[in-house]
Amino acid sequence: MFRLVISDSRAWKNLMAAISTLVEEASFDVKPEGLALRAMDPSHVAMVDFEYPKESFQEYECTEPSKLCLDIGDMLKLMRRVEAGETLELTLDPQTNHLNMKLTGKYKRRFSLPLLQPSVSEVPTPKLTFDAQIKMDADCLNDAITDISNVSDQVKIEADEEKLVLTGLSETGNVVVEFERANQAVLDFQVKGEAKALYGVSFLQDMVKAGAASSKVVSVEFSTDKPVKIDFELPLQGKLTYYLAPRLE
Amino acid sequence: MVSLEKSWLSAYLPYSEEERRRIGEFLKVRVPSYGSLCLHCKGGRMLCGKSCCPLIVKAEKLLGQLRSIDSEKIQGSTPPSVFVGRIGYPKVYVGPLIPPFHGDTAFLDTPETWIGRGLEDIVNFRSTLVRGKFPVSADQPLRGGSLFEKLQEMALAARPVDAEALFAQKPQGAIVLSDEVQPFGPSAPLRAFWLSNVHADRVVEKCYYDDDLKAGEAVLQLYRDGVPVSKIQRCFSLGMFGDKGRRRVVPTRWSITAVDEAISLSLLREVRRYPPVGEYRVYAFKNLDNIFTAIFLPEAWSFEWIEAWFPGTVWNPQGREPELMGDYEGFRGRTTYADVGGCYYAARLAAAEALSRERRQAKVLILREIRNGYLLPVGVWNVRESVRQALKTQPHKFASFLEALDFAMRNLSVPLKAWLPRSVILRQALFQRKLADFSPQG
């Protein structure tokens, strides 16, 4: 038995879009305590770690743990015209092996989506320590990365005890965005010594753009030439975290 | 347009006084509006850097061909072969291609069998076919008239068809004074033509008469039934598939890429679900002074195609260094037309076929070096068939990317440092770390 109700279906759609930046097929772990997903993109360069505890849902029922595997692009297609304020109910139909989606707003709409065969792949969490941990306004980070994506396909992220600097270099031109620790977009700033690493801008842009739609606050954590962890704060212990492996110069 | 005898080309061609009178006026020489190096070179100074003059090669073939046609009528067995022009679209010229002799002529228009043939043969095949032409509206193939219906009937044939064509005038050959135009046989406006011995290909015929089957689905169905791509493409170009009201005539050049694209997309939908190949691989193949090198990486599907045109080849006549161009798509494919054009899709089809056969996926990088012996472009089939051939050879297998790359570069004369800035996959493989590199077990 599995059933859940979300009061703000628009928010749910944004979260699904955030997952779909990395994977086409999403395999959720359905557990009595909530919904979780951990997946790597096909090139194994980026990863998303998503948790949504049962408290985050308006109603949540799950009697036994299972896997829920679906084409997330198709789910988004069905949800394309979701309106703010509509309530979404998801239930599983074991007979037809479909996920039923019921949207209740001014009137009721019902969609159903076939479930896919879950592929077995364990995704390990990278073991990382971070020299730089910076909590900041998600929209500001999104703007900074969008600026850089206009000129370059990679972004250099540097932090020392004073500031965070994002740089894009290319033949077209150079973009440098600085966030000093006292800047009002910066909420928390902890850097040990220095940290510097290079990342592919398209992954970073997709992640930050999708995450910023769900959360106002993001924390960026990294060390020299190590993966960056991008963590979006969600209400009620919800978790939307990305990891992205660096490039070498 | 000037006649041949007034042009410098006549000096190179072995023809007699009598022939000059008889056929000279039917071989026209046209100067392209954008000017041409050939006018300064006149076949003698080798300005284009090729090993011999492509115009003289073309002119000789065409002349040989014109010798055997001396009236407004031609009889022969068509492979079957058709051509749909793209100039003036949506009002385009279509028509049959007929050689002036009978027999099993299928090879004349089956590029699938051309691997291993020299450039001379290929030019010969092209020049042999005499093209009749008449106008149709691309968007109204159902109102194409009786000539057009007959053309479709001919295209359906499973074997060469005996044909007789009546032209409005004696076919003329045209040589464009530019080394970047594909060889073509003589042509003339078509008045009428007659067919005998048409044996329709049952499988193709079924799709032709199915008014509800979508064009894309018809293409896939025929491909899975083993119909050669060149044949599917021929019928596709004559608007013979699809929902009855939505059939269109498609210029030959576009239809080739449309068919390559449709088939590879469908194969790739499956390939993306297969496990990756087990090792790094390098495949190599040479055809018509083109070097093809494919590198397979044991990762999720993505594809890149890069061509290096050597100085003196068609797209790089004046350069000192090889000119590189290419295009890339990631796991989810692409949404825009590839900058390099049709060869990208032809190569991708060959790669998708090989992976689908093996039920594996891979990250695929294909490099092509086009050297000076490639006198004139012969068509996109060269890429499709060469890559197909390359991927049927036994690959060299390696445990690491660097070993594979090192081996691949030994075959090529463009150095790694020239490929690197052009190649997304090379840069990814060399510089992009993976998350697993940072996991506890490494």
Side-chain angles (χ1 to χ4, degrees), chain A residues 154-189:
Chain A
Q154 51 193 22
V155 51
K156 185 159 60 169
I157 307 185
E158 287 168 286
D160 58 21
E161 277 152 25
E162 295 308 312
K163 57 184 187 291
L164 170 74
V165 182
L166 291 86
T167 315
L169 302 177
S170 77
E171 289 164 3
T172 325
N174 305 328
V175 175
V176 182
V177 187
E178 280 188 13
F179 294 100
E180 279 146 17
R181 65 182 305 160
N183 188 300
Q184 56 175 344
V186 177
L187 306 172
D188 187 33
F189 195 96

Side-chain angles (χ1 to χ4, degrees), chain B residues 247-355:
Chain B
R247 296 192 176 188
R248 296 287 181 275
V249 176
V250 183
T252 298
R253 187 193 261 226
W254 305 348
S255 74
I256 292 172
T257 298
V259 170
D260 283 343
E261 156 93 348
I263 299 171
S264 53
L265 281 188
S266 141
L267 293 175
L268 288 173
R269 263 195 293 280
E270 285 158 28
V271 164
R272 273 193 274 261
R273 300 185 67 102
Y274 295 144
V277 294
E279 64 282 305
Y280 293 88
R281 299 179 186 173
V282 177
Y283 298 87
F285 186 72
K286 186 175 169 177
N287 191 38
L288 302 173
D289 217 18
N290 282 239
I291 314 290
F292 296 88
T293 303
I295 307 178
F296 279 26
L297 290 74
E299 291 180 26
W301 162 260
S302 69
F303 178 77
E304 187 166 36
W305 163 257
I306 306 176
E307 355 181 88
W309 292 85
F310 277 46
T313 50
V314 177
W315 302 117
N316 187 16
Q318 325 270 30
R320 288 176 187 280
E321 297 285 320
E323 191 68 43
L324 271 60
M325 45 195 184
D327 226 313
Y328 164 82
E329 69 182 57
F331 183 73
R332 297 189 196 189
R334 62 182 309 124
T335 51
T336 54
Y337 186 67
D339 288 340
V340 279
C343 1
Y344 178 93
Y345 296 92
R348 192 182 66 179
L349 173 61
E353 279 176 341
L355 289 167

Side-chain angles (χ1 to χ4, degrees), chain A residues 215-247:
Chain A
S215 170
K216 293 239 166 299
V217 180
V218 59
S219 70
V220 178
E221 304 174 39
F222 68 107
S223 301
T224 297
D225 292 337
K226 292 281 162 46
V228 61
K229 176 182 174 189
I230 299 175
D231 191 24
F232 292 93
E233 275 183 14
L234 298 182
L236 296 167
Q237 295 120 48
K239 183 165 137 188
L240 177 63
T241 306
Y242 291 106
Y243 294 89
L244 175 61
R247 288 187 181 179

Side-chain angles (χ1 to χ4, degrees), chain A residues 113-175:
Chain A
L113 195 66
L115 294 180
L116 305 172
Q117 198 66 35
S119 54
V120 272
S121 62
E122 280 304 302
V123 181
T125 319
K127 283 266 186 307
L128 300 165
T129 54
F130 301 107
D131 293 336
Q133 293 173 290
I134 295 149
K135 193 182 275 190
M136 61 187 293
D137 184 293
D139 287 327
C140 287
L141 182 64
N142 188 18
D143 288 345
I145 289 169
T146 306
D147 280 340
I148 287 165
S149 72
N150 288 331
V151 298
S152 178
D153 68 343
Q154 51 193 22
V155 51
K156 185 159 60 169
I157 307 185
E158 287 168 286
D160 58 21
E161 277 152 25
E162 295 308 312
K163 57 184 187 291
L164 170 74
V165 182
L166 291 86
T167 315
L169 302 177
S170 77
E171 289 164 3
T172 325
N174 305 328
V175 175

